[in-house]
Amino acid sequence: MNKKILGILLAALTAALLLAAPGLAQDTKKFAVLPFSYNGPQKYAYFPKAFQASLSSNLEWSGHVSPAGEEAIKDLAAPKSKADALSILKSAGLDYIVSGSISILDKQATLTVQAYNTAGATWSKTEQMGIDEITPWLDEQSKAIQGDVFNRPGYSTSEKAARKEDMREAPTGNSPINASFVPADDQYQAANLNPQFRYEGGTEDTGRWRSQTFRFFSTSMAVGDADGDGKNEVFILHRTGISAFRYEQGKLKLLDSMELSSNTQYIRVSMVDVDKDNVPELVVASYQAFYRNQTKAPEGWVKSHILSFAGDKFKYVVQNYNQFLGVIRMPPTYMPVLVAQRKGQRGVFDPRMNEAYVKGDDIELGQSFPAPPYGNVFSMVYLPDGLGYKFAVLDEYHRLKVYSQTMERLSDSGDDRYNSSGVTIETADKAVGMGPGTTDDKSNIYNVPFRMLAASLSKNGKYELLVNKDLSIAAQVFERFTYFSQGEIHSLAWDGVGLNLAWKTRRIKGQVSDVALADLNNDGKQQLCVLVNTFPGGMGFSSRKTVVLAYDLNL
């Protein structure tokens, strides 16, 4: 009898769960950011589109509120009244809409942001500010809308006001920062930075995690959720291919390894969603050199691959593509974009770069985009600055240069060098039209830099550039020295004249080969992740090994 009753209860519970499943799938609400109206100079006419893209990205609350597709809102205009807003919400099948207006006079902007929901509630905020203050103001309003309109816990303005009141009542004093970071300027000193960031002192590892040692040397690293299971994986590119790991019980557990091509120089692994299924794929760039004649400089082939990672296994999406593939965060949204660049005739890289798209098992090129001198798919990053941006570029000697949007050089790092990876590409430098075997062949060696990161980590909301400062006595003697026994991760901030140090890590023993900002241990918090190659002594390159470091940011 008891078994019979238990069976009935289980059947009823199963039926209830099956009936509830469609409802659970539909719990995610939809919002749309409609075009902003604009009144101001023509040179700022791109602001409405930039605002729309920025808010659409910032307002997403994963699993709860997501943006409607472009197709659903392409014909919608901003509401003129509350009744108009309700009509738009009903006709478009949306739960929320956001719109606003921008007026600019000289260097002052007046902004209004409004939000509406299906219950008829209205939220509005209007403020006047300098043009340089627009970006942090929009970020602040995005969080306010999530809390006041979407009802996201911890984001409402009333909760923030209560927290500020509690902070005023609390004892004053400096908040601890990670002992591995040394702050350089109070303007960028963030109480939300890990106390591991201090220049010298201490052997404790509070705020820093170190992986086990791997008996191979590595060239690049990416951290992200490539299989859509909600947990991040760590992908390490090394001398024979790529390996996937996941943080478990304080260590990195090997999930799968894949050999891509033999006798190949693996350059960089990046992550980008190429098929728009909200799960990123892995982009691997590599170069295979060969000699036609021992007296000549080498030639070579570019081999780029795109991989998926599902069921803890790698699988090819695109194999052996003949251009360098990489990922660049492009303005105005700064979302990752797949980029392709051909091998050059006289240099390693062709001057032209194109956006790229995956079509079946091949790559289709999109529009080209401008790049400053020395810019290529591996050496360049866009550094957001207000509603505009700057280019940060590493030249062939790894000196850091900053250019404006009009390609005007703004600053140079001088003798300081950054992000040397030890990964080199050697090609023959030929005159255009000259084939293999010419007597004028000369060797052209390029030390590929590892990635620079643009991120907003400090309390003022401004973007900083994360780079590694190359430290080596040998590098002071040999200008093209590629291996460095020590490094420091520097956060550099633009002060209107140049890039100045905001904070840096304590010195790292070994060759820093890559960096990432990601939740490596899946605890819900971002870490600064650093890939390091260690080797005994000054010339022990054959015994290099790999470790991964992760610094808590305490954001």
Side-chain angles (χ1 to χ4, degrees):
M1 183 60 127
N2 289 338
K3 289 183 179 181
K4 186 175 181 181
I5 293 173
L6 181 60
I8 293 171
L9 289 172
L10 286 172
L13 179 61
T14 303
L17 289 171
L18 289 172
L19 289 170
L24 290 171
Q26 296 171 4
D27 276 347
T28 301
K29 296 184 177 181
K30 294 290 182 182
F31 76 89
V33 180
L34 303 183
F36 277 54
S37 62
Y38 175 71
N39 181 25
Q42 181 62 32
K43 65 180 178 179
Y44 299 122
Y46 67 92
F47 276 12
K49 193 171 184 179
F51 287 8
Q52 190 177 12
S54 176
L55 285 170
S56 294
S57 175
N58 291 344
L59 286 173
E60 183 172 4
W61 179 15
S62 182
H64 296 81
V65 185
S66 63
E70 292 183 10
E71 191 67 25
I73 64 170
K74 66 178 182 179
D75 298 323
L76 298 181
K80 298 178 181 178
S81 64
K82 183 176 178 180
D84 194 16
L86 289 171
S87 175
I88 292 172
L89 285 165
K90 184 177 180 180
S91 63
L94 298 169
D95 297 285
Y96 311 98
I97 55 174
V98 178
S99 64
S101 63
I102 319 155
S103 296
I104 295 178
L105 181 62
D106 194 18
K107 293 187 178 181
Q108 287 295 115
T110 302
L111 271 70
T112 296
V113 178
Q114 296 171 323
Y116 306 87
N117 68 11
T118 52
T122 304
W123 181 96
S124 181
K125 180 74 172 180
T126 301
E127 197 162 324
Q128 190 175 54
M129 70 207 73
I131 290 176
D132 292 341
E133 302 172 71
I134 290 177
T135 299
W137 187 83
L138 279 177
D139 291 342
E140 184 181 343
Q141 304 322 307
S142 299
K143 294 175 182 177
I145 291 172
Q146 288 196 45
D148 297 343
V149 181
F150 299 170
N151 297 316
R152 183 171 183 176
Y155 280 68
S156 72
T157 51
S158 58
E159 289 179 271
K160 289 182 179 179
R163 284 200 297 270
K164 286 183 180 178
E165 189 64 33
D166 290 341
M167 288 173 67
R168 280 195 290 267
E169 294 174 0
T172 59
N174 294 326
S175 300
I177 62 170
N178 190 328
S180 232
F181 295 0
V182 58
D185 189 326
D186 286 342
Q187 181 184 3
Y188 298 99
Q189 186 180 88
N192 56 0
L193 283 180
N194 177 342
Q196 265 279 353
F197 290 108
R198 186 172 296 165
Y199 181 62
E200 295 290 354
T203 57
E204 71 281 354
D205 283 338
T206 303
R208 191 192 75 167
W209 170 84
R210 183 185 187 278
S211 75
Q212 70 270 36
T213 299
F214 299 103
R215 294 185 175 277
F216 53 75
F217 73 87
S218 53
T219 58
S220 185
M221 172 184 68
V223 183
D225 182 10
D227 56 7
D229 66 350
K231 292 183 178 181
N232 287 335
E233 292 80 39
V234 179
F235 300 95
I236 298 178
L237 203 59
H238 47 80
R239 64 180 180 180
T240 60
I242 188 170
S243 295
F245 302 85
R246 185 178 291 125
Y247 179 91
E248 287 187 10
Q249 298 179 346
K251 294 185 176 183
L252 291 180
K253 176 186 176 183
L254 178 64
L255 302 177
D256 189 30
S257 289
M258 183 179 191
E259 183 172 333
L260 300 176
S261 303
S262 58
N263 301 318
T264 298
Q265 176 68 77
Y266 295 105
I267 301 171
R268 183 177 294 183
V269 57
S270 306
M271 300 183 75
V272 63
D273 182 8
V274 298
D275 54 8
K276 308 305 179 187
D277 64 350
N278 295 319
V279 177
E281 281 70 38
L282 298 154
V283 180
V284 177
S286 65
Y287 186 80
Q288 188 172 38
F290 72 94
Y291 289 83
R292 290 181 182 272
N293 187 313
Q294 290 300 318
T295 63
K296 301 294 183 183
E299 300 176 58
W301 296 284
V302 178
K303 289 188 175 182
S304 292
H305 317 282
I306 297 180
L307 311 173
S308 63
F309 186 75
D312 291 348
K313 294 293 180 183
F314 290 107
K315 182 180 178 182
Y316 280 110
V317 176
V318 175
Q319 186 175 6
N320 292 335
Y321 183 64
N322 63 355
Q323 295 192 34
F324 293 107
L325 290 179
V327 175
I328 295 178
R329 292 184 174 271
M330 307 278 283
T333 61
Y334 300 100
M335 298 297 289
V337 173
L338 183 66
V339 174
Q341 188 171 23
R342 297 182 187 277
K343 180 175 174 288
Q345 289 275 359
R346 302 210 63 175
V348 177
F349 301 98
D350 186 88
R352 186 186 182 96
M353 284 188 281
N354 292 79
E355 295 183 24
Y357 307 91
V358 173
K359 297 293 183 181
D361 60 354
D362 201 3
I363 301 292
E364 184 175 296
L365 297 182
Q367 65 181 5
S368 62
F369 56 93
Y374 312 106
N376 61 57
V377 68
F378 304 121
S379 69
M380 183 183 85
V381 68
Y382 290 92
L383 182 62
D385 184 16
L387 288 174
Y389 61 84
K390 292 178 172 57
F391 294 98
V393 183
L394 292 166
D395 69 13
E396 70 269 34
Y397 297 106
H398 290 227
R399 293 177 294 235
L400 180 59
K401 303 179 187 298
V402 178
Y403 292 84
S404 69
Q405 289 180 226
T406 58
M407 305 301 176
E408 175 190 2
R409 189 195 288 189
L410 302 176
S411 71
D412 189 303
S413 66
D415 293 333
D416 292 333
R417 299 168 61 185
Y418 299 92
N419 285 43
S420 296
S421 66
V423 176
T424 58
I425 298 176
E426 186 177 5
T427 63
D429 182 7
K430 301 186 183 70
V432 177
M434 303 296 287
T438 61
T439 57
D440 295 331
D441 287 0
K442 294 180 180 179
S443 180
N444 182 20
I445 300 175
Y446 179 70
N447 179 15
V448 184
F450 63 86
R451 81 192 81 227
M452 299 181 286
L453 298 177
S456 178
L457 299 176
S458 60
K459 61 187 177 184
N460 60 16
K462 291 186 177 181
Y463 276 78
E464 304 157 37
L465 185 68
L466 299 184
V467 293
N468 177 67
K469 176 72 177 296
D470 299 330
L471 300 173
S472 169
I473 295 175
Q476 298 172 18
V477 180
F478 305 106
E479 194 168 38
R480 288 188 179 271
F481 192 76
T482 59
Y483 291 103
F484 295 85
S485 58
Q486 297 182 92
E488 294 171 348
I489 307 301
H490 285 200
S491 173
L492 306 177
W494 182 258
D495 65 356
V497 178
L499 287 171
N500 284 324
L501 181 65
W503 52 262
K504 62 180 178 178
T505 62
R506 200 166 60 197
R507 192 160 293 182
I508 298 169
K509 301 292 180 67
Q511 166 94 41
V512 176
S513 299
D514 211 346
V515 293
L517 282 172
D519 181 9
L520 181 144
N521 59 5
N522 297 301
D523 66 349
K525 298 177 182 178
Q526 236 183 11
Q527 291 96 38
L528 171 63
C529 310
V530 183
L531 182 70
V532 181
N533 281 304
T534 66
F535 46 86
M539 301 296 289
F541 301 140
S542 61
S543 302
R544 285 175 288 172
K545 299 178 178 65
T546 292
V547 297
V548 178
L549 305 177
Y551 298 86
D552 291 334
L553 290 172
N554 298 333
L555 293 176

